[in-house]
Amino acid sequence: MNQNQNPDNLHSLPMQALDDIPAPNTNAKDITGLVKDSGTVTGYQLSDGQIVSKEEGIELARSGGIKDVGIAHRNGKEYLKSLPDGTENNNLSHLPTISAKIE
């Protein structure tokens, strides 16, 4: 079996794509929906109903306020990414889109 076929590597490769994996607080919230503008994520709906901007969500996750996410970057911009757990249906990309205006 080559290194790429090792089952232990299936979860480690996606984890390596994350810049930061913050430890959640005991009262950390889940992300339950995505706020999008023209297909681009601009914010998140949290399990308490609160809507936060993408930047606020990143800072909240960084301080332990959101669970089961890591912080990654693409094209110089940070974003939240689901922690890999072997299931696709709980990834952020599978969450419903929420109609909301981010102030």
Side-chain angles (χ1 to χ4, degrees), residues 33-48:
L34 303 176
V35 179
K36 294 183 179 181
D37 182 15
S38 302
T40 301
V41 174
T42 58
Y44 307 99
Q45 180 181 40
L46 305 179
S47 51
D48 65 356

Side-chain angles (χ1 to χ4, degrees), residues 2 8 15-16 25 34 45 47 55 61 63-64 75-76 97 102:
N2 75 33
D8 292 336
M15 292 294 271
Q16 292 173 10
N25 301 327
L34 303 176
Q45 180 181 40
S47 51
E55 294 77 15
S63 66
N75 299 326
T97 297
I102 305 264

Side-chain angles (χ1 to χ4, degrees), residues 6-92:
N6 181 343
D8 292 336
N9 286 339
L10 293 177
H11 297 299
S12 65
L13 290 175
M15 292 294 271
Q16 292 173 10
L18 298 171
D19 299 327
D20 189 13
I21 304 170
N25 301 327
T26 55
N27 61 345
K29 296 168 182 58
D30 289 304
I31 295 176
T32 58
L34 303 176
V35 179
K36 294 183 179 181
D37 182 15
S38 302
T40 301
V41 174
T42 58
Y44 307 99
Q45 180 181 40
L46 305 179
S47 51
D48 65 356
Q50 180 183 10
I51 305 285
V52 296
S53 71
K54 186 175 177 178
E55 294 77 15
E56 290 169 325
I58 291 166
E59 289 309 313
L60 191 57
R62 189 172 272 130
S63 66
I66 299 177
K67 59 184 170 180
D68 300 326
V69 296
I71 301 168
H73 74 279
R74 180 181 304 131
N75 299 326
K77 296 190 179 211
E78 289 184 315
Y79 65 97
L80 296 180
K81 185 174 170 98
S82 302
L83 294 181
D85 62 2
T87 13
E88 295 284 322
N89 62 351
N90 64 352
N91 290 350
L92 294 180

